[in-house]
Amino acid sequence: MRAPFWLLVAVTATGTLAMHILVPVLPLAAQDLAVSPGRIQLAITLYLVGIAGGQLLYGPVSDKFGRRPTLLVALLLYVMAGAVAGLATSITTLVIARVVQAVGGCGGLVLGRAIVRDSAASGEAVSRMALLTMVQSLAPGVGPAVGGLLGAWFGWRSIFVVLVGLGIFTLGGVWLALPETAASRQAARSGRMLGSYLRLLHSPVFCGYMFGGAFTSTSFYAYLTASPFIFTQMLHRPAAEIGLYYLAVMGGIPMGSFMSNRLAPRVRLTSLLRATSGIAVLGAVLFFVVSATGILSVASVLGTMIILSIGVGASAPIAITGAISTDPQTIGAAAGLYGFVQMANGALCTLAVGFFPGNPALTAASVLLVSLLLGQCSFLLATRSRPVAGTSRD
């Protein structure tokens, strides 16, 4: 029995939506709780920490106990923590609740991918992962807009009412409609969490896909961090336009995912992975050129970054599928480790941009180019060792 696709979308959206939807109402929350902007920012920063760390936990646990019970516990944590956050009267309570909410929410990020790989027939894994990525990528773009409207109409606490409602809906869907998909659960009981990770890290195929996917996808955070300064300080555009530019660039990700969804059943996946990640590298090269030569404009920044985001959206599902297909006994652990490395790379790229603030465009372009070239090298390591699994056209 296959997991309903709408439920997988809801499961994976819980964690990412909670990360982005709060951003527009941070000033309102800071005012209500009487704290500084720097302290209220901890509600986002520590949420990212919880998302990264939690992903290391869920994969091996779900390999041992099954996807369904692990996901039910994760969503219950998400709902309870969201309720506490919505009622918080101090920054300490809010931040602690957000960390717990992140640990619960990241269960959906890990297990959604694992369930797709568990239940996909031969030739379908990449296509279904691409479709999931395409839908999931809408959350970062839609979340801030929804959060801003909710905050303006109903106050910042209404954000958590919506998140708790989404969590309850998803929890009910998992309880009623999600079958257990971890066929190798019995075999995984004999292993330990650390052993699963060591086993994966000794695989050059897994490491190639994992580091290639991380270097290619979350290097994007370097641009997102620098973009407000590029547009306001270097291009002298009003801050009100930044959200529109953000949406334009993010729109390339579902376009790329749709492209992979259509091409995966027809094209050799090793070739498709190299070509699509090559598109991302092309975007990074062009962005570096316009940044280094000083011919920056709104059109040149958006044009080059849309090319990059299309490549990211197209290559990410193939990389994820290749990584978590390396060992059928450790699909959950592979999904968790992959997600952790993604978030860690995103954090490092963000920090790297902050070290050289003088020219945010050139700094972001340099970080993107180096990271994407490392991603290409990693993919070459993986695909030379073994072609992408999960398809009949390996």
PDB file of all heavy atoms in Angstrom, residues 271-297:
ATOM      1  N   SER A 271      23.615  10.932 -16.351  1.00  0.00           N
ATOM      2  CA  SER A 271      23.753  12.046 -17.304  1.00  0.00           C
ATOM      3  C   SER A 271      22.868  13.212 -16.901  1.00  0.00           C
ATOM      4  O   SER A 271      23.274  14.385 -16.987  1.00  0.00           O
ATOM      5  CB  SER A 271      23.387  11.582 -18.717  1.00  0.00           C
ATOM      6  OG  SER A 271      24.216  10.519 -19.136  1.00  0.00           O
ATOM      7  N   LEU A 272      21.646  12.908 -16.439  1.00  0.00           N
ATOM      8  CA  LEU A 272      20.720  13.971 -16.033  1.00  0.00           C
ATOM      9  C   LEU A 272      21.258  14.724 -14.819  1.00  0.00           C
ATOM     10  O   LEU A 272      21.158  15.951 -14.745  1.00  0.00           O
ATOM     11  CB  LEU A 272      19.345  13.373 -15.728  1.00  0.00           C
ATOM     12  CG  LEU A 272      18.228  14.365 -15.392  1.00  0.00           C
ATOM     13  CD1 LEU A 272      18.002  15.335 -16.549  1.00  0.00           C
ATOM     14  CD2 LEU A 272      16.937  13.625 -15.063  1.00  0.00           C
ATOM     15  N   LEU A 273      21.855  13.995 -13.874  1.00  0.00           N
ATOM     16  CA  LEU A 273      22.402  14.643 -12.687  1.00  0.00           C
ATOM     17  C   LEU A 273      23.548  15.583 -13.063  1.00  0.00           C
ATOM     18  O   LEU A 273      23.616  16.724 -12.590  1.00  0.00           O
ATOM     19  CB  LEU A 273      22.883  13.588 -11.692  1.00  0.00           C
ATOM     20  CG  LEU A 273      23.541  14.110 -10.414  1.00  0.00           C
ATOM     21  CD1 LEU A 273      22.591  15.006  -9.632  1.00  0.00           C
ATOM     22  CD2 LEU A 273      24.028  12.958  -9.545  1.00  0.00           C
ATOM     23  N   ARG A 274      24.445  15.120 -13.910  1.00  0.00           N
ATOM     24  CA  ARG A 274      25.570  15.972 -14.317  1.00  0.00           C
ATOM     25  C   ARG A 274      25.098  17.197 -15.095  1.00  0.00           C
ATOM     26  O   ARG A 274      25.611  18.310 -14.917  1.00  0.00           O
ATOM     27  CB  ARG A 274      26.554  15.162 -15.152  1.00  0.00           C
ATOM     28  CG  ARG A 274      27.288  14.091 -14.351  1.00  0.00           C
ATOM     29  CD  ARG A 274      28.042  13.136 -15.245  1.00  0.00           C
ATOM     30  NE  ARG A 274      28.621  12.025 -14.490  1.00  0.00           N
ATOM     31  CZ  ARG A 274      29.140  10.935 -15.041  1.00  0.00           C
ATOM     32  NH1 ARG A 274      29.150  10.808 -16.363  1.00  0.00           N
ATOM     33  NH2 ARG A 274      29.648   9.981 -14.287  1.00  0.00           N
ATOM     34  N   ALA A 275      24.096  17.004 -15.950  1.00  0.00           N
ATOM     35  CA  ALA A 275      23.600  18.125 -16.751  1.00  0.00           C
ATOM     36  C   ALA A 275      22.881  19.158 -15.889  1.00  0.00           C
ATOM     37  O   ALA A 275      23.100  20.369 -16.038  1.00  0.00           O
ATOM     38  CB  ALA A 275      22.666  17.602 -17.841  1.00  0.00           C
ATOM     39  N   THR A 276      22.024  18.686 -14.985  1.00  0.00           N
ATOM     40  CA  THR A 276      21.236  19.629 -14.178  1.00  0.00           C
ATOM     41  C   THR A 276      22.106  20.357 -13.164  1.00  0.00           C
ATOM     42  O   THR A 276      21.937  21.568 -12.944  1.00  0.00           O
ATOM     43  CB  THR A 276      20.089  18.898 -13.477  1.00  0.00           C
ATOM     44  OG1 THR A 276      20.604  17.775 -12.736  1.00  0.00           O
ATOM     45  CG2 THR A 276      19.051  18.416 -14.472  1.00  0.00           C
ATOM     46  N   SER A 277      23.059  19.636 -12.537  1.00  0.00           N
ATOM     47  CA  SER A 277      23.971  20.330 -11.621  1.00  0.00           C
ATOM     48  C   SER A 277      24.878  21.271 -12.411  1.00  0.00           C
ATOM     49  O   SER A 277      25.302  22.318 -11.896  1.00  0.00           O
ATOM     50  CB  SER A 277      24.791  19.325 -10.811  1.00  0.00           C
ATOM     51  OG  SER A 277      25.555  18.487 -11.651  1.00  0.00           O
ATOM     52  N   GLY A 278      25.155  20.922 -13.675  1.00  0.00           N
ATOM     53  CA  GLY A 278      25.919  21.813 -14.537  1.00  0.00           C
ATOM     54  C   GLY A 278      25.181  23.115 -14.812  1.00  0.00           C
ATOM     55  O   GLY A 278      25.807  24.183 -14.951  1.00  0.00           O
ATOM     56  N   ILE A 279      23.849  23.054 -14.901  1.00  0.00           N
ATOM     57  CA  ILE A 279      23.053  24.279 -15.067  1.00  0.00           C
ATOM     58  C   ILE A 279      23.236  25.189 -13.857  1.00  0.00           C
ATOM     59  O   ILE A 279      23.379  26.416 -13.985  1.00  0.00           O
ATOM     60  CB  ILE A 279      21.560  23.928 -15.265  1.00  0.00           C
ATOM     61  CG1 ILE A 279      21.359  23.215 -16.599  1.00  0.00           C
ATOM     62  CG2 ILE A 279      20.697  25.184 -15.188  1.00  0.00           C
ATOM     63  CD1 ILE A 279      19.949  22.676 -16.796  1.00  0.00           C
ATOM     64  N   ALA A 280      23.237  24.588 -12.660  1.00  0.00           N
ATOM     65  CA  ALA A 280      23.452  25.374 -11.443  1.00  0.00           C
ATOM     66  C   ALA A 280      24.836  26.018 -11.455  1.00  0.00           C
ATOM     67  O   ALA A 280      24.996  27.193 -11.088  1.00  0.00           O
ATOM     68  CB  ALA A 280      23.278  24.486 -10.212  1.00  0.00           C
ATOM     69  N   VAL A 281      25.852  25.267 -11.879  1.00  0.00           N
ATOM     70  CA  VAL A 281      27.200  25.820 -11.964  1.00  0.00           C
ATOM     71  C   VAL A 281      27.238  26.978 -12.967  1.00  0.00           C
ATOM     72  O   VAL A 281      27.868  28.017 -12.717  1.00  0.00           O
ATOM     73  CB  VAL A 281      28.218  24.737 -12.372  1.00  0.00           C
ATOM     74  CG1 VAL A 281      29.585  25.354 -12.647  1.00  0.00           C
ATOM     75  CG2 VAL A 281      28.330  23.674 -11.283  1.00  0.00           C
ATOM     76  N   LEU A 282      26.556  26.826 -14.097  1.00  0.00           N
ATOM     77  CA  LEU A 282      26.498  27.904 -15.090  1.00  0.00           C
ATOM     78  C   LEU A 282      25.916  29.174 -14.477  1.00  0.00           C
ATOM     79  O   LEU A 282      26.445  30.278 -14.682  1.00  0.00           O
ATOM     80  CB  LEU A 282      25.656  27.462 -16.286  1.00  0.00           C
ATOM     81  CG  LEU A 282      25.372  28.536 -17.344  1.00  0.00           C
ATOM     82  CD1 LEU A 282      26.665  29.022 -17.980  1.00  0.00           C
ATOM     83  CD2 LEU A 282      24.411  27.999 -18.408  1.00  0.00           C
ATOM     84  N   GLY A 283      24.829  29.030 -13.713  1.00  0.00           N
ATOM     85  CA  GLY A 283      24.247  30.189 -13.048  1.00  0.00           C
ATOM     86  C   GLY A 283      25.218  30.844 -12.091  1.00  0.00           C
ATOM     87  O   GLY A 283      25.316  32.082 -12.021  1.00  0.00           O
ATOM     88  N   ALA A 284      25.968  30.016 -11.339  1.00  0.00           N
ATOM     89  CA  ALA A 284      26.943  30.561 -10.394  1.00  0.00           C
ATOM     90  C   ALA A 284      28.074  31.288 -11.129  1.00  0.00           C
ATOM     91  O   ALA A 284      28.541  32.350 -10.685  1.00  0.00           O
ATOM     92  CB  ALA A 284      27.506  29.437  -9.530  1.00  0.00           C
ATOM     93  N   VAL A 285      28.541  30.721 -12.240  1.00  0.00           N
ATOM     94  CA  VAL A 285      29.603  31.363 -13.024  1.00  0.00           C
ATOM     95  C   VAL A 285      29.134  32.722 -13.544  1.00  0.00           C
ATOM     96  O   VAL A 285      29.853  33.738 -13.455  1.00  0.00           O
ATOM     97  CB  VAL A 285      30.040  30.454 -14.192  1.00  0.00           C
ATOM     98  CG1 VAL A 285      30.947  31.218 -15.157  1.00  0.00           C
ATOM     99  CG2 VAL A 285      30.754  29.208 -13.668  1.00  0.00           C
ATOM    100  N   LEU A 286      27.924  32.765 -14.100  1.00  0.00           N
ATOM    101  CA  LEU A 286      27.397  34.025 -14.637  1.00  0.00           C
ATOM    102  C   LEU A 286      27.201  35.057 -13.531  1.00  0.00           C
ATOM    103  O   LEU A 286      27.495  36.251 -13.725  1.00  0.00           O
ATOM    104  CB  LEU A 286      26.081  33.756 -15.365  1.00  0.00           C
ATOM    105  CG  LEU A 286      26.187  32.912 -16.642  1.00  0.00           C
ATOM    106  CD1 LEU A 286      24.794  32.610 -17.196  1.00  0.00           C
ATOM    107  CD2 LEU A 286      27.038  33.616 -17.689  1.00  0.00           C
ATOM    108  N   PHE A 287      26.713  34.616 -12.375  1.00  0.00           N
ATOM    109  CA  PHE A 287      26.538  35.536 -11.249  1.00  0.00           C
ATOM    110  C   PHE A 287      27.889  36.081 -10.786  1.00  0.00           C
ATOM    111  O   PHE A 287      28.026  37.267 -10.467  1.00  0.00           O
ATOM    112  CB  PHE A 287      25.811  34.812 -10.112  1.00  0.00           C
ATOM    113  CG  PHE A 287      25.512  35.684  -8.920  1.00  0.00           C
ATOM    114  CD1 PHE A 287      25.043  36.970  -9.074  1.00  0.00           C
ATOM    115  CD2 PHE A 287      25.690  35.190  -7.629  1.00  0.00           C
ATOM    116  CE1 PHE A 287      24.759  37.772  -7.969  1.00  0.00           C
ATOM    117  CE2 PHE A 287      25.405  35.969  -6.532  1.00  0.00           C
ATOM    118  CZ  PHE A 287      24.947  37.267  -6.690  1.00  0.00           C
ATOM    119  N   PHE A 288      28.912  35.215 -10.768  1.00  0.00           N
ATOM    120  CA  PHE A 288      30.251  35.655 -10.388  1.00  0.00           C
ATOM    121  C   PHE A 288      30.785  36.687 -11.389  1.00  0.00           C
ATOM    122  O   PHE A 288      31.380  37.694 -10.993  1.00  0.00           O
ATOM    123  CB  PHE A 288      31.198  34.454 -10.308  1.00  0.00           C
ATOM    124  CG  PHE A 288      32.596  34.809  -9.892  1.00  0.00           C
ATOM    125  CD1 PHE A 288      32.926  34.922  -8.552  1.00  0.00           C
ATOM    126  CD2 PHE A 288      33.575  35.040 -10.851  1.00  0.00           C
ATOM    127  CE1 PHE A 288      34.214  35.262  -8.166  1.00  0.00           C
ATOM    128  CE2 PHE A 288      34.867  35.383 -10.476  1.00  0.00           C
ATOM    129  CZ  PHE A 288      35.191  35.497  -9.129  1.00  0.00           C
ATOM    130  N   VAL A 289      30.553  36.454 -12.670  1.00  0.00           N
ATOM    131  CA  VAL A 289      31.047  37.364 -13.703  1.00  0.00           C
ATOM    132  C   VAL A 289      30.413  38.741 -13.554  1.00  0.00           C
ATOM    133  O   VAL A 289      31.111  39.769 -13.574  1.00  0.00           O
ATOM    134  CB  VAL A 289      30.780  36.787 -15.112  1.00  0.00           C
ATOM    135  CG1 VAL A 289      31.048  37.848 -16.181  1.00  0.00           C
ATOM    136  CG2 VAL A 289      31.653  35.562 -15.350  1.00  0.00           C
ATOM    137  N   VAL A 290      29.075  38.781 -13.399  1.00  0.00           N
ATOM    138  CA  VAL A 290      28.414  40.098 -13.298  1.00  0.00           C
ATOM    139  C   VAL A 290      28.786  40.793 -11.986  1.00  0.00           C
ATOM    140  O   VAL A 290      28.834  42.030 -11.925  1.00  0.00           O
ATOM    141  CB  VAL A 290      26.882  39.981 -13.437  1.00  0.00           C
ATOM    142  CG1 VAL A 290      26.505  39.407 -14.781  1.00  0.00           C
ATOM    143  CG2 VAL A 290      26.275  39.164 -12.307  1.00  0.00           C
ATOM    144  N   SER A 291      29.091  40.018 -10.938  1.00  0.00           N
ATOM    145  CA  SER A 291      29.498  40.621  -9.665  1.00  0.00           C
ATOM    146  C   SER A 291      30.926  41.151  -9.737  1.00  0.00           C
ATOM    147  O   SER A 291      31.228  42.234  -9.235  1.00  0.00           O
ATOM    148  CB  SER A 291      29.389  39.596  -8.530  1.00  0.00           C
ATOM    149  OG  SER A 291      28.074  39.118  -8.388  1.00  0.00           O
ATOM    150  N   ALA A 292      31.805  40.375 -10.366  1.00  0.00           N
ATOM    151  CA  ALA A 292      33.214  40.767 -10.438  1.00  0.00           C
ATOM    152  C   ALA A 292      33.460  41.918 -11.394  1.00  0.00           C
ATOM    153  O   ALA A 292      34.374  42.725 -11.187  1.00  0.00           O
ATOM    154  CB  ALA A 292      34.061  39.560 -10.842  1.00  0.00           C
ATOM    155  N   THR A 293      32.646  42.009 -12.442  1.00  0.00           N
ATOM    156  CA  THR A 293      32.852  43.060 -13.447  1.00  0.00           C
ATOM    157  C   THR A 293      32.071  44.326 -13.141  1.00  0.00           C
ATOM    158  O   THR A 293      32.209  45.324 -13.849  1.00  0.00           O
ATOM    159  CB  THR A 293      32.455  42.550 -14.844  1.00  0.00           C
ATOM    160  OG1 THR A 293      31.095  42.104 -14.818  1.00  0.00           O
ATOM    161  CG2 THR A 293      33.362  41.408 -15.268  1.00  0.00           C
ATOM    162  N   GLY A 294      31.231  44.288 -12.128  1.00  0.00           N
ATOM    163  CA  GLY A 294      30.490  45.477 -11.738  1.00  0.00           C
ATOM    164  C   GLY A 294      29.318  45.822 -12.628  1.00  0.00           C
ATOM    165  O   GLY A 294      28.872  46.978 -12.641  1.00  0.00           O
ATOM    166  N   ILE A 295      28.800  44.856 -13.390  1.00  0.00           N
ATOM    167  CA  ILE A 295      27.651  45.132 -14.255  1.00  0.00           C
ATOM    168  C   ILE A 295      26.361  44.623 -13.614  1.00  0.00           C
ATOM    169  O   ILE A 295      25.452  44.153 -14.276  1.00  0.00           O
ATOM    170  CB  ILE A 295      27.831  44.510 -15.652  1.00  0.00           C
ATOM    171  CG1 ILE A 295      28.092  42.998 -15.558  1.00  0.00           C
ATOM    172  CG2 ILE A 295      28.951  45.204 -16.399  1.00  0.00           C
ATOM    173  CD1 ILE A 295      28.124  42.313 -16.917  1.00  0.00           C
ATOM    174  N   LEU A 296      26.306  44.771 -12.295  1.00  0.00           N
ATOM    175  CA  LEU A 296      25.126  44.320 -11.553  1.00  0.00           C
ATOM    176  C   LEU A 296      23.899  45.155 -11.907  1.00  0.00           C
ATOM    177  O   LEU A 296      23.976  46.376 -12.068  1.00  0.00           O
ATOM    178  CB  LEU A 296      25.371  44.453 -10.050  1.00  0.00           C
ATOM    179  CG  LEU A 296      26.189  43.372  -9.337  1.00  0.00           C
ATOM    180  CD1 LEU A 296      26.348  43.737  -7.875  1.00  0.00           C
ATOM    181  CD2 LEU A 296      25.513  42.015  -9.474  1.00  0.00           C
ATOM    182  N   SER A 297      22.796  44.466 -12.028  1.00  0.00           N
ATOM    183  CA  SER A 297      21.490  45.111 -12.171  1.00  0.00           C
ATOM    184  C   SER A 297      20.463  44.129 -11.629  1.00  0.00           C
ATOM    185  O   SER A 297      20.776  42.950 -11.377  1.00  0.00           O
ATOM    186  CB  SER A 297      21.184  45.435 -13.632  1.00  0.00           C
ATOM    187  OG  SER A 297      21.018  44.235 -14.378  1.00  0.00           O
TER     188      SER A 297
END
